[in-house]
Amino acid sequence: MSDALPVLSAASERPLRKGDVDAGDWNDWRWQLRNMLRTSEDFSQIVPLSDDERAGLLRTKDLFRTGATPYYASLMDAARSDCPIRRQTLPSLSELAFRDEELRDPLGEDSHSPVPSIFHKYPDRCLLYIFDRCAIYCRHCNRRRIVGGDTPPKRDEIEDALEYIASQPRIRDVLISGGDPLLLSTRRLDEILGRLRQIPHVEIIRIGSRVPVVLPMRIDDELCETLAKHHPVFVNTHFNHPVEITEDSKRACERLVNHGIPVGNQAVLLRGINSSIRTLRTLMRALIRMRVRPYYLFQGDTVLGTDHLRTSVESAIELMDGLRGWMSGMAMPQLVIDAPGGGGKIPIGPEYLQELGETEVKLRNYRGLNVTYPQPREKDPFVSYDEVFFAGIPEDDDREGGE
Ligand SMILES: *Cc1c(COP(=O)(O)O)cnc(C)c1O
């Protein structure tokens, strides 16, 4: 009896439902991470899994990472497998239907990586990859080749990446991403932000994170105060559906903003999940009400196993047509395609300019009304005061060079 091994509780016995968990644990972000749901046993505690979800979990297990916090899983609709939270979290068998055009690295990041942990595509900004874990592994993830694996960026790689940024005076804007950077300890984030702030040419720092959506309890005052020490710091988060906006996620975003951190949103258009005008309008309006500024709406990247989640470009443009003009301009995201292979983000309409003439241009407004705009007589945009304002400052044409 004395040397009997302790009986470990099976995964299915771990309490994962909000009502069964001590409130102190539930509100502890580290508890949420330790208890992320990963398996059929875990998820079937929350919702009765559909056949496709069950088979998807089993058959994609060795291909793509799956996982979500108990908090995010608590938003699942037990009655409907088309629930936006379920569809973003639980794999479908459709992920196995690969297409030739789909890629492990759809945005050509690995070929724009001068040193590990840096993706540098634009002249004046780069992406700094500092952590490989997330608090949700999205089904549409465009970095699924590297996240959640066993290859977290190493400390000396991050050192080299910081040195690279220091060596490139053209970099004014550093976008810290992952994985999810806000899963690192506050102390480590403070260290990395402090190092970036010592580089004189780094003007702004932004953090890309889904934490406000999937792990809002992480956004505490200590984190916000730490980020605010390194201003100007911006956060871009990733809400895709209004059902993700809860008292908790709202409080997280508002706390960031109250610390002077502007919060933007980069949503991904997902077929059958948020691809309706009504859903998009409701999402954008809910975001702006909590002072989160819609930034981009992405046409789905051509990531391996995500064809079933992409909309056609014509439906994407039609959806945007249902937003612009009908909704506060403050709540308007820009629709972009992130170029396959790494050419950067490209805005794709809708097109309002119908005809560009010498003397006039023809436009249409959001209601389809045709409008004529007369061109000025003089065309040359020369600014003579530039000679005074920039006197002695060398020309800095950011259109030259770059990756
Ligand atoms: C998206 C992205 C940026 C930032 O682009 P913005 O249009 O300035 O938001 C920078 N670097 C990389 C590698 C990116 O993917």
Side-chain angles (χ1 to χ4, degrees):
M1 190 66 194
S2 56
D3 52 15
L5 292 169
V7 179
L8 295 174
S9 56
S12 57
E13 292 165 31
R14 248 185 326 146
L16 295 169
R17 299 175 68 93
K18 185 169 184 186
D20 305 335
V21 178
D22 172 76
D25 280 346
W26 187 263
N27 294 313
D28 171 358
W29 66 276
R30 293 187 184 277
W31 180 91
Q32 289 279 338
L33 286 180
R34 278 197 306 274
N35 287 281
M36 277 178 69
L37 290 79
R38 298 184 188 284
T39 62
S40 292
E41 293 73 47
D42 296 343
F43 287 110
S44 44
Q45 274 197 57
I46 312 296
V47 293
L49 294 173
S50 71
D51 290 346
D52 183 51
E53 288 168 333
R54 197 175 291 282
L57 281 161
L58 189 69
R59 305 253 328 264
T60 65
K61 172 156 75 56
D62 300 321
L63 282 173
F64 305 121
R65 193 81 163 195
T66 295
T69 54
Y71 163 80
Y72 193 67
S74 76
L75 307 180
M76 288 179 171
D77 184 340
R80 303 276 306 212
S81 63
D82 54 1
C83 153
I85 307 288
R86 289 170 70 165
R87 292 213 52 212
Q88 289 183 74
T89 307
L90 298 167
S92 149
L93 278 180
S94 309
E95 291 192 30
L96 297 170
F98 300 157
R99 291 181 43 183
D100 292 346
E101 296 84 351
E102 290 178 349
L103 300 163
R104 269 171 48 79
D105 177 17
L107 308 180
E109 293 186 321
D110 296 337
S111 60
H112 290 81
S113 183
V115 295
S117 276
I118 294 276
F119 301 131
H120 192 183
K121 292 184 190 172
Y122 291 103
D124 72 336
R125 55 208 187 279
C126 72
L127 189 149
L128 173 63
Y129 178 81
I130 61 170
F131 200 48
D132 73 329
R133 300 297 168 89
C134 290
I136 180 184
Y137 292 100
C138 306
R139 299 334 299 165
H140 54 281
C141 178
N142 63 16
R143 234 169 256 145
R144 62 193 337 191
R145 73 188 183 284
I146 45 178
V147 296
D150 316 302
T151 49
K154 298 191 197 71
R155 229 163 223 276
D156 57 328
E157 286 173 350
I158 294 173
E159 281 306 305
D160 292 350
L162 291 166
E163 263 171 47
Y164 173 81
I165 295 168
S167 77
Q168 302 286 311
R170 285 155 25 111
I171 297 178
R172 300 163 184 266
D173 172 2
V174 176
L175 200 165
I176 303 180
S177 187
D180 203 310
L182 295 185
L183 299 190
L184 285 175
S185 69
T186 304
R187 197 206 296 167
R188 179 68 178 139
L189 284 167
D190 190 29
E191 207 172 281
I192 293 172
L193 292 170
R195 293 288 303 283
L196 283 171
R197 272 287 160 249
Q198 283 165 15
I199 304 173
H201 54 265
V202 172
E203 295 174 2
I204 66 168
I205 299 173
R206 26 176 175 165
I207 296 175
S209 171
R210 218 175 172 194
V211 154
V213 187
V214 297
L215 186 64
M217 46 292 278
R218 167 65 179 117
I219 312 291
D220 52 23
D221 283 328
E222 192 198 358
L223 174 70
C224 294
E225 282 158 20
T226 301
L227 300 181
K229 269 169 50 186
H230 304 282
H231 269 322
V233 173
F234 298 73
V235 167
N236 274 333
T237 190
H238 177 176
F239 285 91
N240 285 329
H241 193 282
V243 77
E244 295 169 336
I245 294 172
T246 65
E247 281 307 312
D248 296 303
S249 59
K250 182 165 181 277
R251 199 177 312 118
C253 293
E254 290 180 341
R255 182 168 284 157
L256 287 164
V257 177
N258 289 344
H259 282 80
I261 303 162
V263 181
N265 191 66
Q266 309 197 151
V268 177
L269 199 48
L270 296 166
R271 182 153 58 92
I273 298 177
N274 61 8
S275 55
S276 79
I277 291 178
R278 193 171 184 189
T279 298
L280 291 173
R281 282 187 189 168
T282 305
L283 172 64
M284 303 309 162
R285 285 174 172 149
L287 289 169
I288 203 73
R289 279 202 303 276
M290 56 186 200
R291 287 174 289 158
V292 172
R293 183 83 155 86
Y295 179 43
Y296 282 137
L297 177 63
F298 285 100
Q299 175 66 15
D301 294 324
T302 52
V303 204
L304 206 59
T306 62
D307 191 83
H308 61 294
L309 296 174
R310 289 195 290 140
T311 59
S312 66
V313 173
E314 59 273 27
S315 15
I317 290 172
E318 220 175 286
L319 289 165
M320 286 296 287
D321 235 340
L323 306 187
R324 168 65 69 192
W326 301 102
M327 203 182 67
S328 167
M330 289 296 295
M332 277 303 295
Q334 182 159 46
L335 176 64
V336 291
I337 290 184
D338 213 340
K345 297 171 185 75
I346 305 171
I348 52 164
E351 192 55 76
Y352 295 94
L353 184 61
Q354 311 280 289
E355 211 182 295
L356 177 58
E358 272 297 304
T359 56
E360 59 181 36
V361 298
K362 298 232 186 308
L363 306 158
R364 70 158 173 97
N365 81 348
Y366 69 101
R367 290 179 185 270
L369 184 81
N370 292 316
V371 177
T372 303
Y373 171 84
Q375 294 268 41
R377 276 188 287 270
E378 299 290 336
K379 300 267 161 91
D380 186 350
F382 176 69
V383 179
S384 58
Y385 197 71
D386 279 4
E387 288 165 8
V388 179
F389 194 72
F390 299 110
I393 302 169
E395 180 80 31
D396 149 34
D397 191 344
D398 279 341
R399 284 174 297 183
E400 300 297 323
E403 291 294 306

